[in-house]
Amino acid sequence: MRLLPAIMLLCAAIFVHGVASAFEEDAATAPVLKPSLSLSHSRPITAIDFNDRLIVSGSEDGEVKLFARDGKLLSGFKEHISPILGVAFLGEEFIISVDSTQVILWNLPLARRAPLKFRNENGRNIQINTVAISSRFKRLAVAAPGLLQVIDLTTGDILQSFTGIGDPRSIEISDSGKFLCLVSGSYSHEFIYIIDLEQGTLANKVRHDGNVRRASFLDDSRLIVLQRKKGSQDPMLRLVDLTTQADLAAYGQTHTSVQSAIAYADDLMVYADDVFERVSFTYEPGMSFTSSYSLFKPSMPSNSGLNWSKIDGQTGLLALLTNDGTAFLYDFGKVLEKEAALRDRALQMEREFFQSKPSDEAPRPEPSLTIGVASQEGFAPFTVSVDIEPANLPGPVQQLALDPGDGKPQVLHSDTLSCKYAYRQPGTYMLRAAVQTEAGVVLSNKIAITVKPMTFEQYPKDMQQESEKSMQQ
């Protein structure tokens, strides 16, 4: 029997998650990617955007600069008196720049138009502390403590206004333009608010424990949450289902730090422990599967200090903004092309493995996973002896997961194919098991376990009589 080639291991390191647990391994050694160019300001760069011809950036000292895609400085203006919170291209003719008090619309190349001051419902000037820009839909969302506004950038009109949201930490508009998420961190307002921009209503809110730093959309139904680990300043990622508010997956538990996460296509580009990884998610009932592939390690001075990152999926341009006033830009399009080629080759070889066979041999049996138990019914407390029986696997078992169905999933060693589990409470449980091979193949199965309440009817008659005698004595 042929084994899947080693290239499969390069294409995906698959982690099997229970409801609240995960398998995770250290990222493989990644190639170093040098920046294609760097841009500089006198103070830390706080915002950046690019189109197919130009790059615009803003900094902590209020300066806005316009560069060609080769890094040549075209123009620069310092019309803002406070740090830049956001910049963006609006079509081919305009740029906007935002600080805490105003948004300025510029004609290219940076010929200033009249600014729009931020005001509350009473017409008083306000200071905002976080912004989100949708260039595609020409929308600007701004938030201050207790207030969120959505502004039409073509007219300057306030389209929606929401109050009572607490102290905002971050805002994000979904790629579809349908939803907005806002992370509030003040006491009694520790929520992630989901706003339906089409209806102008609050669609949902997800409570958090105060450790959330920011949230963004993977798509309209899933939220990427960047938060601190409990009892630590180190960040980690969670993927949250907005319909059920359940955690679909967790990532970064074994990393020292997760610096940023950016939605890319249907996956994530995650910058963790100084390495960019591409992370994919798939699901089965009760379990999720997370595939991680190390793409590259961006080369930059060790003392720069990353404060933000932005990705242009169409042109394959990545910008890392640092605390020393430099933005490093990387052309990672070729890296992704190579990764896509490796994945396609891996899928082809996997299909060949399962489909091909010598002409003089019987058809190759399909891999399978069986869960064996002595009995699927018993009285509480009921101890189940579980035998996990994989068959016809294309390589050794690497990791195992067991979810008894009572909210206490377990990660097992690769050689632990038998174990025991005690159910304390009556009920019907769906026991699930999953196995991952070194070749990256994941199989799962499930069976129902019924635990009945204990009553005297289960005791022999003579035991009941003895019990009654002892009570009389």
Side-chain angles (χ1 to χ4, degrees), residues 20-257:
S21 66
F23 288 139
E24 193 162 349
E25 297 178 342
D26 294 335
T29 302
V32 175
L33 184 64
K34 295 181 179 180
S36 55
L37 60 95
S38 61
L39 314 174
S40 62
H41 282 249
S42 59
R43 297 286 295 165
I45 300 176
T46 53
I48 195 167
D49 194 24
F50 14 68
N51 62 21
D52 56 355
R53 299 183 297 110
L54 302 168
I55 302 171
V56 62
S57 59
S59 67
E60 201 174 78
D61 61 0
E63 187 175 24
V64 177
K65 289 185 177 182
L66 184 67
F67 299 87
R69 283 294 286 250
D70 62 2
K72 179 182 178 181
L73 178 63
L74 300 178
S75 56
F77 289 91
K78 193 174 181 181
E79 298 290 339
H80 294 269
I81 60 174
S82 58
I84 301 299
L85 299 179
V87 295
F89 287 98
L90 293 183
E92 296 293 327
E93 299 181 359
F94 298 100
I95 291 174
I96 64 164
S97 55
V98 187
D99 66 24
S100 62
T101 63
Q102 63 183 339
V103 53
I104 299 178
L105 182 68
W106 310 80
N107 274 326
L108 290 175
L110 293 187
R112 185 186 176 196
R113 296 276 300 272
L116 173 67
K117 296 288 185 179
F118 299 128
R119 294 183 171 88
N120 61 17
E121 63 275 10
N122 298 320
R124 296 179 180 177
N125 291 343
I126 59 172
Q127 286 194 338
I128 55 98
N129 56 12
T130 185
V131 305
I133 304 169
S134 174
S135 300
R136 178 183 174 188
F137 297 97
K138 296 180 173 56
R139 296 288 187 266
L140 171 67
V142 299
L147 178 65
L148 167 67
Q149 292 180 346
V150 181
I151 300 170
D152 186 336
L153 288 172
T154 60
T155 63
D157 295 335
I158 298 176
L159 300 177
Q160 286 118 16
S161 183
F162 300 88
T163 58
I165 60 171
D167 187 10
R169 293 180 178 177
S170 73
I171 321 176
E172 182 85 10
I173 298 175
S174 67
D175 287 343
S176 69
K178 295 180 179 179
F179 297 98
L180 176 149
C181 68
L182 180 146
V183 176
S184 174
S186 58
Y187 180 73
S188 78
H189 288 277
E190 292 179 337
F191 292 101
I192 303 173
Y193 295 92
I194 309 299
I195 307 296
D196 187 327
L197 295 179
E198 293 182 336
Q199 301 295 325
T201 58
L202 177 66
N204 204 342
K205 63 179 181 179
V206 181
R207 179 173 288 279
H208 65 84
D209 59 4
N211 289 318
V212 173
R213 293 167 49 190
R214 66 178 298 114
S216 57
F217 291 96
L218 181 61
D219 51 38
D220 285 348
S221 64
R222 295 175 294 177
L223 202 63
I224 308 161
V225 178
L226 186 63
Q227 68 177 67
R228 293 190 302 271
K229 301 175 186 176
K230 289 187 178 181
S232 169
Q233 293 299 311
D234 297 333
M236 61 169 288
L237 285 177
R238 293 164 48 220
L239 190 66
V240 178
D241 186 312
L242 287 176
T243 302
T244 64
Q245 300 192 11
D247 282 6
L248 297 173
Y251 180 84
Q253 293 95 326
T254 62
H255 286 73
T256 301
S257 65

